[in-house]
Amino acid sequence: MFIIAGLGNPTMQYEGTRHNVGFDVIDRIAEKYNISVDTRKSRAYIGKGMVEGEKAILVKPWTYMNLSGESIRGIVDYYKVDPEEGLLVIYDDISLSPGQIRVRSKGSAGGHNGVRNIIANLGTDVFARIKVGIGEKPRQYDLADYVLSRFSKGERQLMEEAYDRAVSAAGQIVAGDVQAAMNRYNRKESVKKTEE
């Protein structure tokens, strides 16, 4: 069994913001594999189904970003899944351009509070993750304001492509080939600058 968790903030107020790309990718995975993410458990919305022939649980923590680990820890414990073998976390990354994704099998939080909370709650930083680029914070922006802002029209097109790549990468990871996903998606891609 594989747990695929996308990070974001609950309520309609945050829909479509940069910080909610994890939720957006979960929605696309759910659509591709015909999984309804509508059951409440461990302060999250979850859905069960099959992804690439494997049992999978899609998770959208409903704790707000900075407490994501509390929700994910509850799901991991309930389903007795070893996070080092069966957890994939999808989240936003300001160090990647919009449209880029990066696959990792382990690593630090890299300044991401949601991931920091997951590592603290699980007691390990060894779990698969897909980082989805949201672009670097403009100099005049406060970081919190920036990650809660919405994408420009040009960026939205790039993000749609990133979501498609993230869904494909998630399928590869669940099928047991993290290394292949890393080889395929971690190449430096030239993503054209978009006008705001």
Side-chain angles (χ1 to χ4, degrees):
M1 181 179 287
F2 225 98
I3 293 171
I4 307 173
L7 305 190
N9 284 308
T11 75
M12 289 178 66
Q13 169 187 356
Y14 297 104
E15 281 183 12
T17 62
R18 295 173 193 271
H19 225 15
N20 271 37
V21 297
F23 280 10
D24 293 337
V25 174
I26 289 292
D27 289 343
R28 282 159 177 77
I29 294 171
E31 187 178 347
K32 178 175 180 178
Y33 295 100
N34 199 25
I35 299 170
S36 297
V37 184
D38 56 6
T39 302
R40 289 298 301 261
K41 183 178 285 297
S42 185
R43 294 193 290 163
Y45 276 97
I46 72 166
K48 298 180 194 174
M50 301 295 286
V51 172
E52 298 303 313
E54 298 289 332
K55 285 183 184 172
I57 299 168
L58 306 185
V59 181
K60 292 164 85 172
W62 222 242
T63 51
Y64 288 95
M65 180 64 80
N66 293 356
L67 298 177
S68 299
E70 295 180 8
S71 174
I72 290 172
R73 171 70 189 269
I75 302 283
V76 163
D77 287 352
Y78 183 84
Y79 290 104
K80 298 178 173 58
V81 169
D82 177 355
E84 297 186 7
E85 299 291 329
L87 174 64
L88 168 62
V89 179
I90 303 167
Y91 58 95
D92 58 290
D93 190 320
I94 61 170
S95 67
L96 298 173
S97 302
Q100 289 191 311
I101 70 167
R102 185 77 30 89
V103 178
R104 292 278 183 262
S105 58
K106 61 183 178 182
S108 72
H112 194 288
N113 290 333
V115 178
R116 182 180 293 120
N117 191 253
I118 293 169
I119 292 169
N121 274 274
L122 296 180
T124 181
D125 66 358
V126 182
F127 53 85
R129 72 250 346 238
I130 298 173
K131 302 192 266 188
V132 181
I134 62 168
E136 194 175 348
K137 175 185 81 69
R139 197 169 302 211
Q140 70 274 21
Y141 270 76
D142 173 73
L143 180 60
D145 291 339
Y146 177 67
V147 297
L148 296 178
S149 68
R150 288 174 167 76
F151 295 103
S152 68
K153 188 177 178 183
E155 286 175 327
R156 280 200 302 273
Q157 186 175 343
L158 295 173
M159 294 310 296
E160 289 298 323
E161 295 167 11
Y163 297 153
D164 287 343
R165 285 196 285 276
V167 170
S168 297
Q172 278 192 295
I173 292 166
V174 171
D177 212 339
V178 180
Q179 191 60 52
M182 289 169 67
N183 292 344
R184 180 173 179 187
Y185 295 104
N186 291 356
R187 291 194 305 262
K188 185 78 175 167
E189 296 173 41
S190 61
V191 177
K192 55 186 177 292
K193 281 281 184 191
T194 58
E195 292 184 18
E196 294 300 317

